[in-house]
Amino acid sequence: MIIWKSTTAGLIVLLSLTLSCSPKKKSSIVDPTNDTKGAYPIVLQHGLMDGGLVTPFKNIQIELNKLRPTFSYEVSPADHIAVRGKELAANIDKVLASTGAAKVNIIALSMGGLDARYAISTLKYGNRVATLTTVSTPHRGTPIADQVTNQKAFSPFLSIFSSLAGLTGDNVKLKNAIADLSEEYVTKTFNPQNLDDSQVKYQSWGAISGIGSGDSIKAVLLPGWSYIKDIRGPNDGLVPVSSAKWGTFKGTIVADHIDLSDHSTFDGLFNGKFDAIGFYKKIVADLVSQSY
């Protein structure tokens, strides 16, 4: 078992956390629908640390828009779930107002799934959301966040990565986000306060990488993968499969956490064999087949 005490490990964890995010440009508007069920637009919600150095999901968003009008707005790169959830709610209102649609389908990566659950449950947006599909969202937290939160040695790196995310060196918001992703907070505070809404269809995907999965995990995620594997089992380098399950579990894909979004900024560095575009198109095609 790896003990997370070195600042090197801290750098690896925080670099990994920067690689979970989404596109920033909104798609074109197509014909709206006010049907009780059907043809709802897609809202993509990114994970932690979007912006600055990282520009993910660009090509995925373009392809999804060919299947169904797809929208993506940037929320705070790092902050409490409550802050990001409120921003997501405002973005949902923008989509509904501009398209005339009755509801939206949310596809959320990593922390974005918790933002969405907050908007649905605490902010009472269940009547505006048809479905929520989460991809490697830590619905029961991630032990990586607990380790980062509990070790003062990580403080210098918080400032570095806050700057990369455009937070001008202020690491308070990043600390807020990481604390909200801890197993302690999600299981004991967030989940009891954000119960599922019966108006919304919840479904989820998990991911695995590393030894025995058929996928070689990237070096930057290896320490996290090893630590989680020892205490929580199969994972993608940041989120255990056991934590990713919520609602109808659609299955486990073979990919690490970085593979789950289209990091065009890092083409040639993080490219793998996982077909991220094909995966998200599959999610949308499934929603279309169910008339959502």
Side-chain angles (χ1 to χ4, degrees):
M1 177 174 119
I2 291 179
I3 303 299
W4 289 74
K5 292 184 178 179
S6 72
T7 55
T8 299
L11 178 59
I12 290 171
V13 169
L14 288 171
L15 175 59
S16 302
L17 287 171
T18 66
L19 301 172
S20 214
C21 28
S22 88
K24 302 178 184 177
K25 293 185 178 180
K26 185 177 70 172
S27 70
S28 59
I29 299 172
V30 300
D31 292 340
T33 175
N34 286 299
D35 294 339
T36 302
K37 182 178 180 181
Y40 301 127
I42 305 295
V43 173
L44 299 173
Q45 177 70 355
H46 63 75
L48 180 63
M49 299 295 282
D50 185 21
L53 179 65
V54 181
T55 306
F57 281 9
K58 177 181 178 181
N59 296 325
I60 292 173
Q61 192 270 343
I62 291 172
E63 292 301 317
L64 294 188
N65 201 48
K66 296 176 182 178
L67 299 175
R68 182 66 62 84
T70 302
F71 298 81
S72 179
Y73 301 86
E74 184 178 348
V75 299
S76 295
D79 212 326
H80 286 301
I81 294 169
V83 173
R84 289 164 49 99
K86 290 176 183 176
E87 293 172 345
L88 169 60
N91 293 336
I92 291 172
D93 287 339
K94 291 178 185 178
V95 172
L96 297 180
S98 65
T99 64
K103 297 183 179 183
V104 300
N105 295 304
I106 301 175
I107 300 176
L109 172 62
S110 198
M111 185 180 183
L114 301 180
D115 304 333
R117 286 178 52 204
Y118 179 88
I120 292 167
S121 300
T122 296
L123 301 183
K124 310 300 181 185
Y125 267 60
N127 63 343
R128 281 167 267 195
V129 177
T131 68
L132 169 61
T133 303
T134 62
V135 180
S136 198
T137 287
H139 291 290
R140 294 161 191 83
T142 170
I144 300 297
D146 295 77
Q147 288 291 332
V148 173
T149 300
N150 295 332
Q151 296 193 36
K152 295 180 180 179
F154 291 92
S155 294
F157 298 110
L158 291 175
S159 294
I160 294 172
F161 285 93
S162 291
S163 296
L164 291 175
L167 299 179
T168 62
D170 177 11
N171 62 23
V172 174
K173 292 181 179 181
L174 181 53
K175 287 181 178 179
N176 293 342
I178 293 174
D180 279 9
L181 295 174
S182 69
E183 293 181 320
E184 175 79 12
Y185 176 76
V186 178
T187 59
K188 295 184 178 181
T189 301
F190 181 83
N191 284 346
Q193 293 178 356
N194 290 276
L195 303 178
D196 287 354
D197 189 316
S198 60
Q199 301 173 88
V200 179
K201 176 183 177 63
Y202 295 80
Q203 54 186 18
S204 58
W205 290 87
I208 59 171
S209 188
I211 298 172
S213 69
D215 180 62
S216 298
I217 194 163
K218 296 172 184 62
V220 71
L221 293 175
L222 183 57
W225 176 86
S226 299
Y227 177 69
I228 298 173
K229 176 73 172 177
D230 189 58
I231 62 174
R232 296 290 181 265
N235 67 91
D236 63 5
L238 284 179
V239 178
V241 173
S242 58
S243 183
K245 295 180 178 180
W246 200 261
T248 300
F249 186 60
K250 303 293 288 185
T252 303
I253 54 179
V254 179
D256 65 34
H257 207 77
I258 293 174
D259 290 331
L260 298 176
S261 59
D262 174 30
H263 291 288
S264 54
T265 300
F266 295 99
D267 282 349
L269 177 61
F270 289 139
N271 284 352
K273 59 184 178 182
F274 176 67
D275 180 10
I277 291 176
F279 169 66
Y280 285 95
K281 287 176 69 175
K282 176 181 178 180
I283 291 176
V284 175
D286 183 54
L287 292 172
V288 171
S289 71
Q290 297 180 65
S291 299
Y292 282 110

